[in-house]
């Protein structure tokens, strides 16, 4: 099972990178001319994935854009058990500094605070959040 999960993670990352490369539209970049990508994985408590997806669909993506975060793509694993409780997505930022500033502004945004309170009225909709910043290689079609 460990090998299958590891392989699934590699396939997910590869697919996310490929799709992100297809969807990437350029824009501003850091001093080296490269955007910074953030791969985020959210785990929802049992029975709460639909609530998490609804929050992103209806509110979060728009609020991210308001704070300079580019929505690259959103995925749910196809295989159990992760298909029942996992959301994986990628954001693009102009730099790590821009990401830090965007996240700070997002977390203080009154609209976001109201959305978070409303969507967690019946309890938390995330039980774990992982974030990994990615820099494109020199041979990547997307930079």
């Amino acid at each position: 099972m460990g090998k299958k999960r590891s392989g699934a993670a590699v396939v997910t990352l590869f697919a996310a990178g490929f799709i992100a490369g297809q969807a990437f539209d350029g824009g501003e970049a850091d001093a080296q001319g490269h955007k910074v990508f953030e791969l985020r994985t959210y785990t929802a408590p049992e029975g709460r994935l639909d609530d998490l997806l609804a929050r992103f669909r209806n509110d979060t993506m728009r609020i991210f854009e308001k704070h300079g975060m580019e929505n690259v793509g959103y995925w749910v694993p196809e295989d159990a058990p992760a298909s029942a409780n996992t959301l994986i997505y990628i954001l693009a930022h102009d730099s790590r500094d821009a990401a830090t500033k965007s996240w700070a502004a997002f977390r203080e945004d009154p609209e976001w605070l109201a959305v978070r309170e409303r969507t967690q009225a019946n309890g938390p909709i995330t039980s774990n959040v992982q974030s990994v910043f990615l820099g494109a290689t020199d041979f990547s079609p997307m930079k």
Side-chain angles (χ1 to χ4, degrees), residues 44-49 84-85:
E46 186 173 341
R48 300 300 309 265
L49 181 60
N85 69 351

Side-chain angles (χ1 to χ4, degrees), residues 24-136:
F24 184 67
D25 66 356
E28 296 299 314
D30 67 9
Q32 291 77 40
H34 302 101
K35 284 206 169 202
V36 174
F37 297 88
E38 186 177 6
L39 174 67
R40 295 181 65 91
T41 304
Y42 285 25
T43 306
E46 186 173 341
R48 300 300 309 265
L49 181 60
D50 286 342
D51 297 328
L52 179 62
L53 297 176
R55 180 165 78 183
F56 272 85
R57 179 184 308 108
N58 299 330
D59 299 294
T60 307
M61 290 177 63
R62 178 179 40 76
I63 301 171
F64 280 169
E65 292 283 341
K66 177 172 138 180
H67 293 289
M69 293 183 265
E70 179 183 342
N71 294 290
V72 175
Y74 291 79
W75 300 268
V76 172
E78 290 191 351
D79 297 323
S83 59
N85 69 351
T86 305
L87 168 64
I88 300 168
Y89 67 98
I90 296 177
L91 296 173
H93 306 277
D94 291 338
S95 66
R96 285 291 293 268
D97 185 52
T100 299
K101 289 176 183 173
S102 292
W103 277 112
F106 172 82
R107 287 183 181 110
E108 295 176 5
D109 185 304
E111 182 183 11
W112 163 246
L113 295 172
V115 166
R116 186 179 68 187
E117 184 176 333
R118 174 178 44 82
T119 58
Q120 295 189 134
N122 296 321
I125 60 175
T126 58
S127 57
N128 188 42
V129 175
Q130 294 178 329
S131 172
V132 177
F133 281 92
L134 308 167

